[in-house]
Amino acid sequence: MSSQSNGDALRARAPASNGAPSKTLIPTNSVTTKDGVVKVRIDPTLMVTDVVKQLVANLQIDQPASDFALRDDDDELVTNENLRRMIKAKAKLKLVNSAAVEAQEIYEKLLLPDEKSFRLALFSLQRYLREEDFANEFLKLDGVRVLVDVITTSHGNTLAYALTAMKNLMDLEYGWATLDSSFIFKVVQIIAVPQALINVCRPATAILKRLVEADPASAPGPLMASSSRSPPAAPPGSVYRYGFDVVFEEMRKEPGLLETVVNRLGTADTALALNSVMLINSLLAHATDTWWEDFISQLERLNTRKAIIRLMNSHTIEDLTSCVLDFQGNMARVIYRKKTTLVEPDAEKTHETALDYIWTNSRLQVETTPNGTQMKWRQLGFASESLSHEFSETGVLGLDCLSDPDVFSKVVQEQNSRPLQRRCPLARASNEVVELLSEYWGVLAPGYATSPVFQPFFLNFYKVHFLATNFFLQMWNESGAATGDFTRVVALVRSQVKVALRQEHLRPWHEMVQDFSECEYRDVRDRQMKELEEEDDLLSKIPVRNLRAKLYKESKEFVRQQRIHCLLQGAWFLNAVPVSAPAPRRPARPWRFMRLDNSLKHLHYVDSQSKFLVRSGLEDLPERIDLALITEIATANCAPPSDGTGGPGAPPLVASPLSFSLLTPEGSLADAIAPDISRWADWTDGLNMLRRDSGHVASKETADFIQALTEIGLKIKLLDLSGDKVEIPSGLTAGAPPTNSDFFFSDLYDPQ
């Protein structure tokens, strides 16, 4: 701020004493104080604290300048980052209480019995806690304890305000480490009430999600070395002291909680459905060995996957796409874990129970062979009586698929009535189908399975397994197969799996069912013969598949770094209009330049009438978006701004395929159209990969790029092997275990 007479940076505008107009600089802003409105000129090079200090001095206010701050008409706090924007926009400012004074006043009102003042203070608190300066002052006053007391004793809208305030406070990485198990249980109780108000459920669900993510293993900074398999202990004062185990212990005290959360996936309130999916995803991503099996079984019992599939067909799916894709990724990890968990009936009671169930449903009797050996599981189609060995490749996933009563009860008796050589080994067929489906969907390593599109068939893994196993039986019968033809029938089923499950994000379920149930042997055989002419058997070998999985992870990380580098460079975008907006308005400035800061936490930007050369750094980008607030990167949902205002006779807006929006539960932070498909893929996937609860690939371009890098790397590795004439085995057979423990591992042994 400046003045001609004394060089001050701010001065109130006033007439000269002789009646002639004073020779003053043109004011930039108006500031409302308790005594009225003054016109001032603010120097944009000053710090906000200096601006306030000079304003207080020029207005001759007796209180210290530290008691004051500036806000605009929308109550946005004026900071060093947005001061230039406020000056440029000639924003109307207000001289208000500083963060320290405001925090003290709100704190005191929360302790008063006056209901009106109490609720107004809570309403203001939920907004102010988004500002770090205010939050710090509130924390100094032991505000967390007061807020917990309010949540414990309130209900209705008052409870909603308090929960929202706590949610905003928990966006900080510090300050709420004093929350104890009684508070967590209170939040659990609030969520578990099916009839709870929507504005109460939203913040409560978000709070529980944040507590799940506050895992010691997720704490920022280097991991501390530990000789224990348990997660590292949280440092004193760290909020990363909660996590899945702490939260799930309280959830178990309220058995109806998970069912209520799953039921809310079908609510008409998109924000509540979003929070519910995000909570389930966080629980899946952070589940520990202690309660993993119990938690997953609850999700299966509640038909969570079916609820997510219904969401895929919902009209509100645009706002939930990222969360649904995250759920798919989490389910891929669940499938992989089950597949790699050994079946041990002698050690695990659940495994023994499942096997007893299978045997009972088969309605068979144990037989004794002529040489005196017992024949039990071989009657079901296993190659031996050692079930741990039979399930070595499919694990608990194979056991779960076999436990489906429809698989066995209808066909076992019929197969056992046939001559031995003509019987279809049903158990082996079931396990082979598990392998084929896992291979098709890429469930080969943790985090390997990823897709930029919905996979409703994958989420129905067990039903697809049932259909494919029935198809195996159909091919066995129609081809007149015998025991030695097992591999040939497997090849037929592999071919049909690729056909039946193609384009699952576009095709209805009944078409896939028809592909499995109505296809004839001759058609499948003819198609398979054509495929064999083009197929390389080398790529189907297990070591090569494992190598592909490793290279895929490396390629994905490489692409992630490349996408983030593009965000750090920045780019120009066209400001767009959401096609779903009831009254779309043309943006005041058509162009926006966005750039990610080095902390990877904020997206800085500037709107302009035309493109200009943006300097490196953030000096030219006065505004910013907090990436932590973004819950969804919606795509293909915006249109270029039209020349008119969109009256009744105007044509409907058509969404651009290169558009995207940065969405929060409160609305959109940015609506933009990329200049080309490459820039669109860079930014949509880059922003997705930066989100705390995400990391999936959303665009076909990025998915194809990762796949291409993987295939190139695989071919280079295989060229090295083929050049050295190395024979790649289809699999390795482990030798007999040691007869005693009198051995040690060589220093050259690498467990990886």
Side-chain angles (χ1 to χ4, degrees):
M1 297 170 286
S2 67
S3 140
Q4 192 177 27
S5 60
N6 59 9
D8 284 346
L10 177 146
R11 179 164 181 154
R13 190 182 183 195
S17 58
N18 60 4
S22 62
K23 188 178 181 181
T24 58
L25 297 176
I26 299 173
T28 60
N29 300 82
S30 64
V31 178
T32 302
T33 70
K34 63 180 180 180
D35 297 322
V37 180
V38 294
K39 300 284 188 178
V40 298
R41 181 174 183 82
I42 303 176
D43 184 349
T45 63
L46 288 180
M47 305 288 283
V48 173
T49 52
D50 294 330
V51 173
V52 174
K53 188 181 299 181
Q54 293 185 26
L55 182 61
V56 170
N58 286 346
L59 295 176
Q60 299 180 352
I61 299 175
D62 293 335
Q63 295 172 252
S66 58
D67 286 353
F68 296 96
L70 287 171
R71 294 183 181 274
D72 67 2
D73 274 351
D74 296 326
D75 268 340
E76 181 182 356
L77 184 68
V78 179
T79 63
N80 295 328
E81 288 78 15
N82 63 19
L83 178 61
R84 286 175 179 268
R85 170 168 60 87
M86 297 286 189
I87 296 172
K88 187 175 181 180
K90 300 185 182 300
K92 295 179 180 180
L93 306 179
K94 300 181 291 186
L95 188 66
V96 298
N97 289 333
S98 67
V101 174
E102 196 69 53
Q104 182 68 45
E105 289 186 359
I106 288 180
Y107 176 80
E108 291 173 356
K109 289 177 182 177
L110 292 177
L111 301 177
L112 294 175
D114 181 55
E115 180 68 21
K116 184 176 181 181
S117 298
F118 177 81
R119 294 186 67 177
L120 285 174
L122 263 183
F123 186 80
S124 300
L125 181 64
Q126 63 181 348
R127 182 178 72 252
Y128 287 142
L129 278 175
R130 295 174 187 240
E131 301 167 4
E132 191 167 355
D133 289 344
F134 178 90
N136 288 332
E137 297 296 335
F138 189 71
L139 290 172
K140 292 177 186 177
L141 298 170
D142 197 20
V144 172
R145 179 186 59 80
V146 175
L147 202 50
V148 169
D149 290 343
V150 173
I151 291 172
T152 305
T153 57
S154 300
H155 59 274
N157 287 332
T158 303
L159 177 59
Y161 297 155
L163 288 168
T164 303
M166 180 63 80
K167 176 184 77 73
N168 294 339
L169 178 64
M170 292 175 71
D171 285 337
L172 297 174
E173 301 288 330
Y174 56 87
W176 41 277
T178 55
L179 299 177
D180 57 16
S181 58
S182 61
F183 171 78
I184 299 174
F185 183 58
K186 177 62 179 178
V187 175
V188 166
Q189 288 180 308
I190 292 170
I191 299 172
V193 178
Q195 298 81 19
L197 295 174
I198 288 177
N199 61 343
V200 170
C201 293
R202 287 181 197 156
T205 306
I207 287 171
L208 204 62
K209 168 183 172 290
R210 184 71 175 103
L211 288 165
V212 173
E213 294 170 349
D215 193 310
S218 303
L223 292 175
M224 301 298 292
S226 173
S227 60
S228 172
R229 292 191 176 187
S230 59
S238 171
V239 298
Y240 288 91
R241 59 180 62 249
Y242 301 101
F244 179 87
D245 284 346
V246 174
V247 173
F248 198 69
E249 283 282 2
E250 304 306 318
M251 290 174 59
R252 293 175 67 237
K253 299 175 185 176
E254 196 68 49
L257 169 73
L258 208 53
E259 181 177 3
T260 303
V261 171
V262 172
N263 288 339
R264 285 183 180 137
L265 297 179
T267 180
D269 186 85
T270 305
L272 181 55
L274 176 69
N275 283 328
S276 299
V277 180
M278 292 173 73
L279 173 59
I280 293 171
N281 280 333
S282 291
L283 290 166
L284 281 167
H286 293 84
T288 61
D289 292 345
T290 307
W291 298 112
W292 188 87
E293 191 171 336
D294 187 16
F295 173 60
I296 297 300
S297 64
Q298 287 189 49
L299 288 182
E300 293 295 328
R301 178 176 55 82
L302 296 170
N303 289 321
T304 308
R305 289 178 290 114
K306 187 175 181 180
I308 295 292
I309 293 172
R310 283 197 297 267
L311 267 184
M312 291 178 176
N313 301 318
S314 168
H315 65 282
T316 61
I317 189 58
E318 181 180 282
D319 300 327
L320 301 169
T321 301
S322 290
C323 290
V324 171
L325 292 176
D326 290 342
F327 182 83
Q328 279 184 187
N330 284 324
M331 280 296 104
R333 285 183 280 275
V334 169
I335 293 291
Y336 175 78
R337 175 161 175 167
K338 286 190 172 186
K339 188 173 182 293
T340 54
T341 300
L342 298 177
V343 174
E344 300 176 302
D346 295 333
E348 294 290 339
K349 183 66 177 177
T350 54
H351 299 177
E352 181 185 3
T353 303
L355 289 168
D356 287 344
Y357 177 80
I358 292 170
W359 179 254
T360 302
N361 273 286
S362 71
R363 297 194 294 274
L364 296 174
Q365 300 296 323
V366 178
E367 296 180 1
T368 303
T369 61
N371 60 8
T373 60
Q374 189 182 70
M375 187 173 178
K376 178 179 179 181
W377 297 110
R378 281 176 289 174
Q379 294 184 65
L380 296 180
F382 288 112
S384 70
E385 296 294 321
S386 174
L387 294 181
S388 296
H389 173 73
E390 295 296 327
F391 287 108
S392 60
E393 295 297 327
T394 60
V396 172
L397 178 63
L399 179 61
D400 288 348
C401 289
L402 208 57
S403 300
D404 187 337
D406 292 330
V407 174
F408 269 102
S409 58
K410 298 178 181 178
V411 294
V412 165
Q413 293 292 332
E414 189 269 333
Q415 288 297 321
N416 275 42
S417 66
R418 298 184 176 192
L420 185 61
Q421 288 298 315
R422 291 293 179 181
R423 294 177 189 173
C424 175
L426 198 57
R428 285 179 61 201
S430 173
N431 280 342
E432 195 63 44
V433 169
V434 170
E435 286 282 8
L436 293 177
L437 296 180
S438 299
E439 178 184 340
Y440 177 81
W441 277 309
V443 187
L444 303 174
Y448 175 64
T450 182
S451 172
V453 296
F454 295 148
Q455 294 180 303
F457 299 166
F458 170 69
L459 294 185
N460 264 319
F461 189 97
Y462 296 108
K463 289 185 178 179
V464 174
H465 171 271
F466 169 69
L467 292 169
T469 303
N470 272 349
F471 180 79
F472 192 108
L473 286 167
Q474 178 187 339
M475 292 297 102
W476 183 277
N477 294 334
E478 291 184 9
S479 64
T483 304
D485 298 320
F486 186 83
T487 305
R488 178 174 60 82
V489 178
V490 169
L492 292 172
V493 177
R494 177 184 283 110
S495 174
Q496 190 65 15
V497 162
K498 295 176 183 178
V499 172
L501 302 182
R502 71 191 186 280
Q503 296 182 315
E504 59 181 296
H505 63 293
L506 300 175
R507 301 172 65 229
W509 174 264
H510 69 86
E511 287 187 9
M512 183 270 293
V513 174
Q514 288 175 352
D515 284 339
F516 274 125
S517 60
E518 299 180 7
C519 195
E520 296 183 357
Y521 166 73
R522 186 178 297 278
D523 296 332
V524 179
R525 181 62 179 167
D526 291 344
R527 184 185 65 244
Q528 188 219 8
M529 293 302 295
K530 293 179 181 178
E531 293 172 350
L532 287 175
E533 295 174 1
E534 306 170 358
E535 190 176 272
D536 186 353
D537 182 59
L538 178 65
L539 298 179
S540 64
K541 293 186 176 181
I542 293 175
V544 177
R545 298 209 310 256
N546 292 338
L547 175 61
R548 188 201 299 270
K550 179 176 180 291
L551 292 174
Y552 183 92
K553 293 170 66 178
E554 294 175 358
S555 299
K556 186 175 181 181
E557 179 57 27
F558 173 81
V559 173
R560 179 181 183 275
Q561 294 300 326
Q562 182 270 333
R563 296 298 192 239
I564 292 175
H565 180 72
C566 290
L567 269 62
L568 292 169
Q569 292 288 320
W572 280 102
F573 297 90
L574 181 67
N575 279 323
V577 179
V579 294
S580 59
R585 293 185 178 180
R586 183 181 179 85
R589 295 180 177 87
W591 296 100
R592 171 172 293 187
F593 185 91
M594 293 191 284
R595 175 180 289 156
L596 182 68
D597 64 9
N598 291 328
S599 71
L600 309 184
K601 291 184 178 180
H602 297 94
L603 200 61
H604 294 253
Y605 69 93
V606 63
D607 290 332
S608 175
Q609 289 289 350
S610 60
K611 295 181 181 180
F612 62 89
L613 181 62
V614 180
R615 293 173 291 179
S616 60
L618 305 173
E619 188 175 347
D620 293 338
L621 310 174
E623 303 183 63
R624 72 178 187 179
I625 294 171
D626 186 352
L627 294 181
L629 300 176
I630 299 174
T631 57
E632 173 71 22
I633 315 293
T635 58
N637 65 322
C638 300
S642 59
D643 294 332
T645 57
L653 296 174
V654 179
S656 167
L658 301 181
S659 64
F660 63 92
S661 295
L662 309 183
L663 303 180
T664 70
E666 287 74 32
S668 177
L669 297 177
D671 303 296
I673 297 178
D676 52 59
I677 189 67
S678 297
R679 195 68 52 84
W680 177 83
D682 288 343
W683 278 74
T684 53
D685 285 319
L687 290 169
N688 260 320
M689 291 171 173
L690 280 173
R691 287 169 51 209
R692 185 186 336 180
D693 54 355
S694 189
H696 66 268
V697 175
S699 72
K700 184 177 184 298
E701 287 70 22
T702 299
D704 290 346
F705 187 23
I706 296 173
Q707 192 62 36
L709 288 176
T710 303
E711 295 302 323
I712 291 171
L714 181 63
K715 288 176 181 177
I716 291 173
K717 295 285 188 183
L718 293 180
L719 283 173
D720 291 341
L721 292 174
S722 60
D724 294 334
K725 297 183 179 179
V726 176
E727 178 66 26
I728 301 176
S730 297
L732 298 177
T733 304
T739 56
N740 57 53
S741 59
D742 186 20
F743 64 90
F744 64 93
F745 290 107
S746 164
D747 291 339
L748 297 177
Y749 172 70
D750 182 4
Q752 300 299 323

